């Protein structure tokens, strides 16, 4: 009989624990949750809000094995993660394995080290039902929102849409930022800089204020033509820079995006691997606290590497409310481990965490900042020159933090020559450059996490899934903005002469930003109109606080559900009853010149579309899909009419017409009832017959090379070559050919039917392309 069974969430974590526990312990993984709400049903009783859980089919074998081992073990230790989700997993394991939650041995540890695990086993606790209920409340509330709101969207907007409590608020943030940008009016002004010389050395300085117009800037430059300049003030002062706190989930996601180019979900996946391998502490936390052990060992490491003067132990304190789930920041488990083995991403993220942890326990950086004021003898407008010398690098020796606008702190600004008050300078040149106010920046994944955290929306465990979800559901896309060209004026005074020039620049260029799609905008506007509370920032933050109260045992989760649903249900009923003359987001652009019929754009069954005419008993309207890059918010009447110039006939080939059209998946060439996609770099409005025939022939060659064999017994069966090797296609479904089959072309119809009849896990592949 096995003495001890330890159940963790992941196989990687199980392997790491096995290294520390002896032969008396068997470690198994639950592979995450073993029970969940049913996928296609509400699974929530709206009378008492009890959840109806089931074991998914893909977890049946896992549960069977766990039951068998739990029955044979003397003691079962539940060692899932220490947050609400982990607590719920342990509770579900109790329910399924027949363990008493009040007597179950629940162990938690913030880091996977031998001392932490043995300490946890020495001090087991009961399952914390406050944490379990907080997780149930979140799951049930989000299920109610999804199952109740989504059908409203299907009926009023478009099939297959979905609404979610946190995801809808995240989309709102992105939509509102886009509208700020659309409504932004850029204003220009002139900034003046100058180069002065003293004893053959140059000083670069800028005017303390700018000018609104070119005339004002020009008048100022001309007034300085024969002006004498002197140094009227020199201010030297020491400045200190302190290191940033150790990482929380949010700050790790932000910094990994800025420094390493990781997406939010990528950061969490890599951090999970590092945690499960025993390299870092738990990666879902909003605490900046460090253990005394970490502070002491880091102090020793810093003194060993850099000397005593570089060490300055600190304890940071968490300011965010509800930061009670995890008790420590993200840090290396062993600070003496400067590097780790692993893949490139794991090494880079570990290096970032290690440096941040070490830096936060290092001395402040010290610098001497010098500010020189240069003034004309007659005028009042002064120029400012600044310089900075790092006198002690402190934590900067190890790490410097990035900022959202990618402007990094320099080690030193321009070095200034030794000068004194009253000294005269010569003006070498003075330049007035036209500059424009910049529109607000679109969100990156990292800056969206930061904003959500500021508003109290979501928690460490929800940032990454929320941002992934809004992109998967195509409410938001991550993309680049090319930017636009514009001209700006430059006035230069040099050698007593004023020269004017016009230069060109590209503005508004952005990379990897979150941009709302038309569907995202329309869904947001619909929810704002009919369900304002669901997408209200304060309400969403208040719900998070309610979950915190439930976790602490201060609030009943079912009462919270009852209160929430009592407000939601009447809104849903009222929205169903309301008749809309126009669909939400629909825009009337004008009329078609030839017919006088109205031209409009809206969200259709397959996405953004243009429409000519209206549906009535005599005539159906005409539809056209919008092109990529076009938006129902900005498309013009002329651009919409262009979309209806397809389909167009190019001519004949092999006795049949060749036409160009556009559909759900973009433009295509049609010939003999077959469709060939037109490449993205080819304009369907200008493609000619010769080019279309070339596409048809290329497709035929591709199809021929893919075809291995047909069967007289059934025309729907075909053997094909795909990306992953030979496969069988039968009645729209693809089936694997086992690797043991060396000559697929020699397979008989009967042998192929055996693959079709084989159990799902062995022979069947997903529908679609191979």
């Amino acid at each position: 009989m096995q003495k001890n069974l330890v159940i963790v969430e992941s196989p990687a974590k199980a392997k790491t624990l096995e290294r520390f526990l002896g032969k008396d312990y068997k470690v198994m993984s639950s592979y995450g949750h073993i029970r969940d709400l049913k996928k296609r049903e509400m699974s929530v009783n709206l009378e008492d809000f009890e959840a109806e859980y089931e074991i998914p089919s893909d977890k049946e074998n896992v549960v069977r094995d766990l039951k068998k081992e739990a029955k044979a073990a003397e003691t079962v230790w539940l060692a899932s993660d220490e947050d609400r989700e982990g607590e719920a997993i342990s509770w579900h394991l109790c329910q399924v394995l027949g363990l008493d939650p009040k007597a179950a041995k629940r162990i938690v540890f913030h880091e996977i080290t031998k001392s932490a695990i043995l300490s946890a086993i020495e001090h087991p606790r009961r399952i914390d039902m406050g944490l379990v209920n907080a997780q149930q409340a979140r799951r049930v509330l989000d299920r109610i929102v999804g199952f109740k709101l989504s059908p409203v969207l299907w009926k009023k907007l478009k099939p297959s849409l979905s609404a979610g409590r946190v995801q809808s608020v995240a989309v709102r943030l992105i939509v509102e930022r886009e509208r700020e940008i659309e409504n932004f009016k850029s204003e220009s002004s002139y900034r003046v800089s100058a180069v002065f010389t003293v004893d053959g050395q140059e000083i670069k300085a800028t005017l303390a204020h700018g000018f609104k117009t070119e005339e004002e800037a020009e008048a100022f430059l001309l007034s300085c033509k024969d002006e004498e300049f002197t140094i009227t003030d020199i201010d030297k002062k020491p400045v200190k820079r302190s290191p940033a706190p150790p990482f929380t989930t949010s700050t790790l996601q932000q910094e990994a995006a800025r420094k390493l180019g990781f997406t939010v979900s990528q950061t969490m996946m890599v951090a999970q691997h590092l945690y499960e391998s025993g390299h870092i502490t738990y990666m879902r936390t909003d605490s900046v606290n460090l253990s005394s052990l970490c502070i002491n060992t880091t102090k020793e490491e810093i003194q060993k590497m850099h000397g005593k003067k570089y060490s300055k132990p600190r304890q940071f304190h968490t300011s965010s409310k509800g930061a009670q789930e995890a008790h420590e920041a993200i840090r290396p488990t062993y600070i003496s481990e400067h590097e780790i083995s692993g893949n490139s991403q794991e090494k880079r993220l570990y290096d970032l965490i290690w440096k941040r942890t070490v830096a936060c326990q290092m001395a402040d950086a010290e610098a001497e900042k010098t500010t020189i004021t240069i003034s004309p003898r007659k005028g009042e407008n002064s120029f400012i020159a600044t310089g900075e010398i790092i006198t002690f690098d402190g934590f900067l020796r190890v790490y410097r933090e990035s900022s959202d606008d990618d402007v990094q702190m320099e080690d030193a600004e321009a070095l200034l020559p030794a000068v004194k008050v009253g000294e005269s300078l010569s003006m070498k040149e003075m330049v007035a450059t036209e500059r424009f106010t910049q529109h607000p920046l679109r969100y990156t994944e990292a800056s969206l996490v930061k904003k959500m955290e500021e508003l109290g929306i979501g928690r460490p465990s929800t940032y990454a899934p929320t941002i992934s979800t809004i992109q998967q559901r195509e409410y938001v896309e991550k993309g680049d903005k090319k930017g636009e060209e514009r001209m700006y004026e430059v006035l230069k005074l040099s050698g007593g002469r004023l020269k004017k020039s016009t230069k060109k620049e590209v503005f508004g260029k952005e990379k990897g930003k979150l941009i709302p799609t038309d569907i995202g905008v329309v869904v947001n506007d619909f929810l704002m109109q009919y369900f304002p509370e669901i997408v209200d920032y304060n309400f969403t933050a208040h719900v998070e606080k309610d979950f915190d109260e439930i976790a602490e045992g201060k609030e009943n989760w079912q009462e919270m559900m009852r209160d929430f649903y009592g407000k939601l249900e009447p809104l849903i009923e009222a929205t169903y009853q309301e008749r809309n003359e126009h669909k939400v987001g629909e825009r009337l652009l004008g009329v078609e010149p030839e017919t006088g019929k109205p031209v409009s754009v809206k969200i259709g069954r397959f996405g953004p579309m243009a429409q000519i005419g209206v549906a009535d008993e005599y005539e159906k309207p005409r539809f056209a899909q919008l092109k990529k890059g076009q938006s129902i918010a900005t498309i013009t009447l002329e651009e919409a009419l262009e979309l209806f110039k397809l389909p167009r006939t190019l001519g004949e080939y092999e006795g049949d017409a060749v036409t160009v059209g556009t559909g759900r998946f973009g433009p295509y060439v049609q010939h003999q009832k077959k469709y060939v996609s037109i490449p993205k770099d080819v304009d369907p409005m200008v493609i000619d017959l010769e080019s279309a025939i070339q596409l048809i022939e290329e497709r035929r060659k591709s199809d021929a090379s893919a075809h291995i064999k047909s069967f007289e017994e059934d025309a729907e069966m075909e053997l094909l070559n795909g990306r992953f090797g030979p496969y069988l296609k039968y009645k729209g479904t693809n089936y694997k050919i086992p690797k043991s089959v060396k000559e697929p072309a020699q397979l008989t119809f009967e042998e192929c039917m055996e693959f079709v009849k084989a159990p799902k896990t062995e022979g069947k592949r997903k529908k679609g392309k191979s």
Side-chain angles (χ1 to χ4, degrees):
M1 187 183 215
Q2 179 67 47
K3 281 190 177 181
N4 297 280
L5 173 66
V6 181
I7 304 175
V8 295
E9 288 182 37
S10 72
K13 192 174 176 182
K15 282 182 184 175
T16 311
L17 257 68
E18 280 175 341
R19 296 207 312 259
F20 302 124
L21 296 170
K23 59 180 178 8
D24 290 338
Y25 290 83
K26 179 167 186 173
V27 186
M28 293 182 71
S29 169
S30 69
Y31 295 85
H33 278 279
I34 57 161
R35 289 201 310 180
D36 199 1
L37 302 175
K38 295 176 183 177
K39 275 192 174 178
R40 302 191 182 280
E41 296 176 28
M42 169 83 79
S43 295
V44 176
N45 185 326
L46 294 175
E47 294 297 320
D48 58 12
F49 300 96
E50 283 292 336
E52 299 164 18
Y53 295 106
E54 68 169 3
I55 299 168
S57 57
D58 62 340
K59 287 296 177 73
E60 286 172 359
N61 290 342
V62 174
V63 171
R64 185 193 62 224
D65 294 343
L66 287 172
K67 277 184 176 179
K68 180 183 172 185
E69 294 297 334
K71 197 172 182 182
E74 286 181 18
T75 307
V76 178
W77 304 85
L78 303 173
S80 50
D81 291 343
E82 65 168 326
D83 57 10
R84 294 173 190 172
E85 212 68 35
E87 205 71 20
I89 287 172
S90 284
W91 178 73
H92 283 294
L93 284 166
C94 282
Q95 301 294 307
V96 172
L97 304 181
L99 306 173
D100 181 358
K102 292 179 181 176
K105 303 274 190 183
R106 173 77 170 114
I107 55 172
V108 294
F109 31 82
H110 187 67
E111 60 187 27
I112 304 178
T113 60
K114 188 169 186 176
S115 58
I117 293 161
L118 295 178
S119 174
I121 287 174
E122 285 171 17
H123 306 95
R125 63 168 174 79
R126 291 181 178 181
I127 285 177
D128 186 333
M129 287 309 296
L131 293 178
V132 173
N133 290 336
Q135 189 274 345
Q136 283 200 97
R138 181 187 289 280
R139 190 79 184 88
V140 167
L141 189 145
D142 288 346
R143 175 57 67 97
I144 291 171
V145 170
F147 265 68
K148 284 291 184 177
L149 273 190
S150 297
V152 181
L153 297 179
W154 304 342
K155 183 176 180 181
K156 298 289 184 177
L157 296 179
K158 174 183 178 289
S160 303
L161 294 177
S162 68
R165 184 180 57 85
V166 178
Q167 76 178 45
S168 297
V169 179
V171 172
R172 179 187 169 187
L173 280 167
I174 294 163
V175 170
E176 288 186 345
R177 178 58 56 89
E178 197 67 25
R179 289 204 167 125
E180 282 179 54
I181 294 167
E182 288 169 6
N183 298 328
F184 182 79
K185 298 285 187 289
S186 185
E187 295 180 357
S188 70
S189 62
Y190 284 78
R191 295 179 190 169
V192 181
S193 61
V195 178
F196 299 97
T197 58
V198 57
D199 295 331
Q201 293 181 290
E202 290 186 352
I203 299 177
K204 293 177 182 178
T206 55
L207 194 65
H209 67 86
F211 297 98
K212 283 195 172 182
T213 65
E214 182 183 341
E215 291 75 22
E216 289 175 337
E218 183 178 345
F220 174 74
L221 262 62
L222 289 172
S223 74
C224 295
K225 187 176 175 183
D226 302 313
E227 186 62 87
E228 294 178 22
F229 292 88
T230 59
I231 293 171
T232 53
D233 187 42
I234 300 173
D235 180 38
K236 289 186 178 182
K237 61 181 178 184
V239 290
K240 283 189 176 183
R241 292 177 184 157
S242 297
F247 282 129
T248 61
T249 302
S250 164
T251 55
L252 178 64
Q253 289 169 347
Q254 292 169 51
E255 196 74 339
R258 292 187 291 241
K259 283 191 182 298
L260 309 179
F262 286 6
T263 64
V264 167
S265 57
Q266 186 182 8
T267 298
M268 294 312 292
M269 180 186 70
V270 177
Q272 181 101 28
H273 291 164
L274 291 174
Y275 166 67
E276 290 173 348
S277 302
H279 294 308
I280 64 169
T281 53
Y282 192 53
M283 65 288 155
R284 291 191 184 97
T285 174
D286 45 15
S287 170
V288 290
N289 179 48
L290 290 174
S291 68
S292 55
L293 176 65
C294 171
I295 291 172
N296 292 332
T297 53
T298 305
K299 176 183 174 182
E300 290 171 13
E301 197 69 20
I302 292 165
Q303 290 182 357
K304 187 169 73 177
M305 291 169 62
H306 306 291
K308 282 188 177 181
K309 67 175 183 177
Y310 278 90
S311 173
K312 185 181 177 181
R314 293 178 183 83
Q315 183 58 275
F316 294 87
H317 298 285
T318 304
S319 57
S320 59
K321 271 197 170 183
Q324 81 294 332
E325 287 189 52
H327 310 295
E328 208 172 348
I330 302 168
R331 60 162 177 84
T333 47
Y334 305 104
I335 208 73
S336 58
E337 194 175 59
H338 295 203
E339 294 178 355
I340 60 159
S341 57
N343 62 35
S344 170
Q345 291 181 348
E346 289 166 357
K347 286 179 178 179
R348 292 171 72 206
L349 191 66
Y350 179 82
D351 183 62
L352 192 69
I353 294 166
W354 186 89
K355 285 178 177 175
R356 176 86 161 216
T357 308
V358 170
C360 83
Q361 297 300 306
M362 289 179 73
D364 294 340
E366 296 172 11
E368 183 180 76
K369 186 167 186 175
T370 303
T371 304
I372 297 175
T373 305
I374 301 168
S375 307
R377 291 194 184 274
K378 296 175 187 174
E380 296 177 357
N381 297 299
S382 296
F383 286 81
I384 305 295
T386 58
E388 189 171 281
I389 298 171
I390 301 291
T391 55
F392 176 61
D393 55 0
F395 75 92
L396 291 176
R397 177 173 281 207
V398 172
Y399 178 86
R400 67 184 69 241
E401 189 180 20
S402 299
S403 61
D404 283 331
D405 55 7
D406 297 321
V407 176
Q408 289 214 8
M409 189 167 54
E410 297 296 330
D411 276 354
E413 296 182 30
L415 288 173
L416 300 173
V419 290
K420 56 183 182 290
V421 174
E423 198 163 355
S424 295
L425 304 101
S426 298
M427 189 263 288
K428 184 179 178 182
E429 67 177 34
M430 191 175 291
V431 179
T433 307
E434 186 179 17
R435 284 288 168 251
F436 299 85
T437 51
Q438 298 296 315
H439 66 65
L441 293 173
R442 290 178 175 87
Y443 288 108
T444 60
E445 287 192 0
S447 61
L448 183 63
V449 166
K450 185 178 181 182
K451 186 66 178 177
M452 289 170 68
E453 186 180 39
E454 285 173 5
L455 294 171
I457 297 164
R459 286 293 182 263
S461 60
T462 62
Y463 300 137
T466 298
I467 289 172
S468 296
T469 299
I470 62 178
Q471 291 178 71
Q472 287 164 5
R473 291 182 175 164
E474 297 182 349
Y475 292 158
V476 169
E477 59 188 11
K478 189 156 56 172
D480 303 338
K481 286 287 182 180
K482 289 182 179 178
E484 301 171 44
E485 285 188 351
R486 72 175 163 210
M487 313 307 288
Y488 66 97
E489 304 298 322
V490 177
L491 310 177
K492 186 175 181 180
L493 179 68
S494 180
R497 294 179 61 191
L498 183 69
K499 289 183 181 178
K500 294 183 183 181
S501 60
T502 302
K503 295 188 177 181
K504 188 162 54 178
E505 68 178 356
V506 175
F507 75 98
K509 188 176 181 180
E510 294 183 274
K511 287 193 77 175
K513 296 300 178 76
L514 297 174
I515 303 164
T517 62
D518 278 343
I519 292 172
V521 171
V522 170
V523 168
N524 175 73
D525 291 350
F526 180 82
L527 294 175
M528 288 288 288
Q529 182 178 345
Y530 294 102
F531 301 94
E533 196 169 64
I534 294 293
V535 285
D536 180 77
Y537 300 135
N538 291 331
F539 169 75
T540 309
H542 182 72
V543 168
E544 295 292 350
K545 288 176 185 172
D546 283 339
F547 293 151
D548 293 340
E549 295 279 304
I550 292 165
E552 292 169 21
K554 296 176 183 176
E555 187 173 344
N556 181 287
W557 76 273
Q558 284 150 314
E559 285 301 317
M560 180 205 166
M561 293 299 109
R562 188 168 286 106
D563 180 59
F564 173 82
Y565 187 64
K567 294 172 183 173
L568 179 67
E569 183 64 15
L571 291 175
I572 290 170
E573 287 304 316
T575 308
Y576 272 130
Q577 299 303 321
E578 186 162 325
R579 295 186 176 276
N580 303 93
E581 193 174 328
H582 296 287
K583 289 189 82 170
V584 176
E586 186 173 353
R587 278 180 68 220
L588 183 65
L589 303 180
V591 296
E592 185 182 31
E594 295 85 4
T595 63
K597 291 179 179 178
V599 181
S600 59
V601 283
K602 63 182 178 182
I603 298 296
R605 185 177 185 86
F606 300 114
M609 56 182 280
Q611 175 178 322
I612 296 178
V614 292
D616 58 36
E617 57 183 302
Y618 303 107
E619 194 175 358
K620 289 183 178 179
R622 287 179 286 151
F623 301 102
Q625 296 294 125
L626 265 60
K627 292 180 186 176
K628 189 170 177 63
Q630 290 182 327
S631 166
I632 62 175
T634 56
I635 192 170
T636 64
L637 175 63
E638 292 71 25
E639 289 168 338
L641 291 172
E642 280 289 315
L643 299 171
F644 289 92
K645 290 183 178 177
L646 295 177
R648 50 190 276 260
T649 302
L650 303 182
E652 285 193 1
Y653 179 54
E654 298 175 340
D656 289 293
V658 177
T659 60
V660 174
T662 186
R664 183 181 177 187
F665 303 108
Y668 58 80
V669 171
Q670 184 181 4
H671 179 248
Q672 293 177 349
K673 296 184 180 179
K674 291 193 174 180
Y675 298 87
V676 183
S677 293
I678 295 175
K680 289 181 180 179
D681 58 350
V682 177
D683 188 341
M685 301 307 300
V686 299
I687 190 173
D688 56 19
L689 180 61
E690 187 181 343
S691 300
I693 291 170
Q694 187 179 343
L695 289 174
I696 292 166
E697 289 299 332
E698 286 173 359
R699 175 61 182 269
R700 285 177 178 176
K701 284 179 186 175
S702 172
D703 288 349
S705 65
H707 177 80
I708 298 175
K709 187 176 183 179
S710 298
F711 296 87
E712 291 181 5
E713 293 91 333
D714 193 328
E716 287 193 74
M717 182 176 285
E718 187 180 11
L719 270 170
L720 298 164
N721 266 319
R723 271 190 306 168
F724 306 108
Y727 69 98
L728 178 68
K729 187 170 185 176
Y730 184 59
K731 294 186 176 180
T733 300
N734 299 339
Y735 300 85
K736 283 183 182 178
I737 301 295
K739 289 182 180 178
S740 57
V741 177
K742 302 301 180 187
E743 296 291 339
Q746 295 178 14
L747 287 167
T748 65
F749 176 77
E750 289 73 19
E751 287 171 329
C752 288
M753 283 306 297
E754 289 299 316
F755 300 141
V756 173
K757 294 172 184 175
K760 196 173 178 180
T761 52
E762 292 175 28
K764 197 170 178 180
R765 292 174 66 176
K766 288 183 180 178
K767 286 189 177 184
K769 295 177 183 177
S770 69

